[in-house]
Amino acid sequence: MKKTNLPPIASELAPRPKADLSKLRSPISASDQQVEENSRRLGAHWGATTSLDLSRSVPMASLRIVIPEYVDRDLALKAAEDRVTKQYLVLKALSEAGFRVDPQDLVEDKRKLRGR
């Protein structure tokens, strides 16, 4: 079998010039509210959770309830299947039952926000 010479790799390792970002258009000015509404609309359309204002913090309360084990098991399975938390499922059910739950408080998995 004949050996094939490989092309030199030196050109691949050379540093590349930095991109010239000066020619980019300036961003369109929009209010924070418009950006947030648009982001939430796009997130809902594509099935993504958007969290723009992580500093917004409403007082939270802990709720301890005792439920049948089979309900907890079904809740855990549904949460795993939908890739959300049990808290999200409970808040969503409360919202659908007519209780006020602000959209920014209906976060599918708050654990995902901690890594940011």
Side-chain angles (χ1 to χ4, degrees):
M1 206 189 300
K2 185 179 177 186
K3 275 190 172 180
T4 305
N5 290 335
L6 298 173
I9 194 168
S11 64
E12 296 292 323
L13 299 175
R16 295 182 179 170
K18 289 189 175 183
D20 180 13
L21 303 178
S22 64
K23 294 182 172 82
L24 292 177
R25 293 186 306 162
S26 61
I28 298 170
S29 63
S31 72
D32 288 346
Q33 183 179 1
Q34 289 171 314
V35 171
E36 185 171 346
E37 287 171 4
N38 187 53
S39 296
R40 292 197 190 288
R41 183 180 54 78
L42 287 172
H45 176 76
W46 292 103
T49 302
T50 59
S51 298
L52 299 175
D53 188 7
L54 298 177
S55 63
R56 180 193 177 279
S57 178
V58 297
M60 300 299 276
S62 177
L63 174 65
R64 177 162 162 70
I65 61 172
V66 178
I67 58 176
E69 192 174 288
Y70 65 88
V71 174
D72 183 57
R73 185 175 49 252
D74 288 349
L75 194 59
L77 289 171
K78 178 69 172 160
E81 180 180 285
D82 293 354
R83 304 190 94 169
V84 297
T85 60
K86 292 192 283 185
Q87 176 182 332
Y88 170 82
L89 293 175
V90 170
L91 285 174
K92 187 170 192 245
L94 287 170
S95 175
E96 291 170 355
F99 289 88
R100 176 184 160 214
V101 179
D102 294 337
Q104 62 269 21
D105 296 324
L106 193 59
V107 178
E108 291 180 352
D109 191 346
K110 289 186 180 187
R111 295 170 298 181
K112 293 176 185 173
L113 300 179
R114 283 188 261 167
R116 292 182 183 176

